[in-house]
Amino acid sequence: MTEHLPLHPPARRVLSVTVERFPINGSFTIARGSRTEAVVVVAHLAENGVAGRGECVPYARYGESIDSVVAAIGAARAAVEAGASRQQLLALLPAGAARNAVDCALWDLEAKLTGAPAHVLAGLDRIRPATTAFTISLGAAEVMAAGAAAAIEAGRPVLKIKLGAPEGDAARIRAVRNAAPEATLLVDANEGWRLADLPRLFDACAGADVALIEQPLPAAEDAALAGLARPVPLCADESVHTREGLAALRDRYDAVNIKLDKAGGLTEALAMAREAGDMGFGLMVGCMVGTSLAMAPAMLLTPRARFVDLDGPLLLAHDREHGLVYDGAVVWPPERALWG
């Protein structure tokens, strides 16, 4: 279902917003709760008969709501309609979902106005298909194991397992590994563990040959990771949003998860990827649960990424028109009819 918000008076460049809802296939559960619907905000930019789009997913963990994101986009409307560039947008809006939607719409609009694909505008020769992780929601160990086995049967060899209930997480890790003995396993605790849990759960991850542990501690507590023995590489998610947060993480994490909704758009995300790589961090490109319109710009980050987690559309009951093509775990670059 699409809710059309009031349009503004015509201008050479016109910015409008829609709120769209997509049912999730079943439910999506992490340490912070469950949901059965993805609610996204889409920025539309029209100029000279050409339209660009960008999708974002407001995230309550970062103090965002549908209303606050729509209001933030509205506050920047005059400057954007007057011709603000992507670089100027970095100063107009803070990092977050609202800036992401507008930034990606600006990329899409420029690509369509100039005829140059977005990846070319970003200085990339081409975007190749990438293998994405597939997310297994937090649940009972036997349910997660069944989900893992089904994912492997569907040709998805990289599994991201949601954890964050420490008393049962070691059993969940073992159950998933037994159900998917050859899979590459990524673990995401979503800030759900505590310092006292780490030795036991790190050992469980190492014993199951987990490739990466994402955000084991709450972001406000991760200074405790400095100097801590890490038998499995650690990846920051909630602890890092933009380039400004990278330097403080050097002694805590081995990798960073770059998401457009955190970074506030592709412009910042590309710069962040370069800087993180220069600092020696491994890279994951991640996503919120959204449609292919949200995943498409993130595909420009995949050439630099060690791990790709762009499975949002696979978790939905249905995607939007002209969605990304997924062949098992392989996601193909977007058609121009979708974005860029």
Side-chain angles (χ1 to χ4, degrees):
M1 180 177 72
T2 299
E3 299 171 7
H4 289 277
L5 303 179
L7 296 178
H8 299 288
R12 179 175 176 271
R13 177 189 285 178
V14 177
L15 172 62
S16 61
V17 181
T18 57
V19 176
E20 302 176 15
R21 289 172 161 80
F22 294 83
I24 290 172
N25 186 16
S27 63
F28 181 75
T29 303
I30 65 173
R32 281 187 285 272
S34 298
R35 52 200 168 108
T36 58
E37 182 182 57
V39 185
V40 306
V41 176
V42 180
H44 306 258
L45 270 176
E47 182 176 324
N48 295 335
V50 176
R53 301 182 299 171
E55 177 184 311
C56 71
V57 181
Y59 198 32
R61 166 64 179 83
Y62 304 136
E64 297 173 336
S65 67
I66 297 297
D67 289 345
S68 73
V69 167
V70 170
I73 293 173
R77 179 182 63 84
V80 172
E81 291 187 342
S85 68
R86 295 192 302 273
Q87 288 300 319
Q88 290 169 328
L89 186 67
L90 296 177
L92 283 172
L93 287 171
R99 193 174 77 189
N100 177 34
V102 179
D103 180 74
C104 290
L106 283 167
W107 278 94
D108 191 28
L109 181 64
E110 182 176 351
K112 290 178 168 61
L113 286 171
T114 63
H119 70 267
V120 173
L121 296 175
L124 302 172
D125 291 336
R126 60 175 295 191
I127 301 295
R128 293 176 172 82
T131 298
T132 180
F134 182 77
T135 302
I136 306 298
S137 285
L138 176 63
E142 62 273 17
V143 174
M144 294 180 71
I152 295 300
E153 182 68 22
R156 294 166 182 155
V158 183
L159 303 180
K160 178 173 176 174
I161 58 176
K162 291 289 189 177
L163 299 175
E167 65 283 351
D169 280 349
R172 293 181 179 95
I173 294 165
R174 289 192 296 269
V176 170
R177 172 50 80 200
N178 289 338
E182 303 300 322
T184 297
L185 293 187
L186 314 176
V187 158
D188 186 2
N190 279 118
E191 303 182 281
W193 295 348
R194 295 296 180 265
L195 186 61
D197 302 320
L198 296 190
R200 174 176 58 86
L201 293 172
F202 281 5
D203 284 348
C205 287
D209 195 26
V210 168
L212 195 71
I213 300 171
E214 199 175 341
Q215 199 65 44
L217 296 178
E221 301 174 17
D222 66 4
L225 297 173
L228 194 68
R230 302 196 290 266
V232 175
L234 301 185
C235 179
D237 182 3
E238 287 87 349
S239 289
V240 64
H241 292 227
T242 66
R243 286 170 285 177
E244 285 68 29
L246 289 170
L249 304 183
R250 281 175 146 169
D251 61 348
R252 307 175 190 181
Y253 292 97
D254 308 288
V256 294
N257 186 344
I258 299 178
K259 294 177 180 174
L260 300 191
D261 277 316
K262 291 190 304 175
L266 180 61
T267 302
E268 171 63 23
L270 288 167
M272 184 181 177
R274 288 190 294 269
E275 192 161 320
D278 290 344
M279 289 184 178
F281 288 107
L283 299 181
M284 172 188 282
V285 53
C287 67
M288 306 302 187
V289 181
T291 78
S292 284
L293 182 58
M295 309 301 124
M299 287 293 295
L300 275 66
L301 297 169
T302 59
R304 291 179 175 268
R306 170 68 180 86
F307 294 109
V308 173
D309 179 25
L310 297 178
D311 65 342
L314 296 176
L315 305 175
L316 302 177
H318 64 84
D319 196 5
R320 65 173 70 246
E321 190 177 7
H322 305 296
L324 296 174
V325 174
Y326 288 84
D327 181 7
V330 177
V331 54
W332 290 76
E335 300 177 11
R336 288 177 67 82
L338 174 67
W339 184 89

